[in-house]
Amino acid sequence: MNLFEDTDQTFKKTFIATSNEEILTVTEAGQLLGLTKDQMKLYVDKKGLTKIKVARSVFRYLLLKEEIDNLLKADNK
């Protein structure tokens, strides 16, 4: 049985295998901050977070986990 894997998840695995930076999908980051995917996309633009572009896509990108962790720490203070 073939399991479907989201394109963002596939790219994330490849990125992690070749980089020492930890990354999250927009959905994963949104879940940590209690936001939907659409809300998270707006939040990323508002806060000027780093977008790691997914090849061949204008609309897809991944986020640096470190930046999301910093936002969570700031919210908990």
Side-chain angles (χ1 to χ4, degrees), residues 18-75:
T18 59
S19 174
N20 59 357
E21 290 284 349
E22 290 187 64
I23 55 174
L24 297 171
T25 65
V26 174
T27 302
E28 291 170 335
Q31 288 172 346
L32 290 174
L33 296 171
L35 302 171
T36 66
K37 184 176 182 177
D38 291 334
Q39 290 171 327
M40 188 63 200
K41 285 183 176 186
L42 294 172
Y43 189 79
V44 166
D45 291 335
K46 178 182 173 186
K47 293 290 186 176
L49 300 178
T50 304
K51 296 179 184 178
I52 301 167
K53 299 285 185 184
V54 174
R56 298 182 305 271
S57 179
V58 176
F59 303 106
R60 297 185 142 201
Y61 52 86
L62 300 168
L63 302 169
L64 294 172
K65 184 178 183 301
E66 180 181 13
E67 289 183 345
I68 303 303
D69 289 344
N70 290 339
L71 289 170
L72 287 170
K73 287 177 188 173
D75 285 346

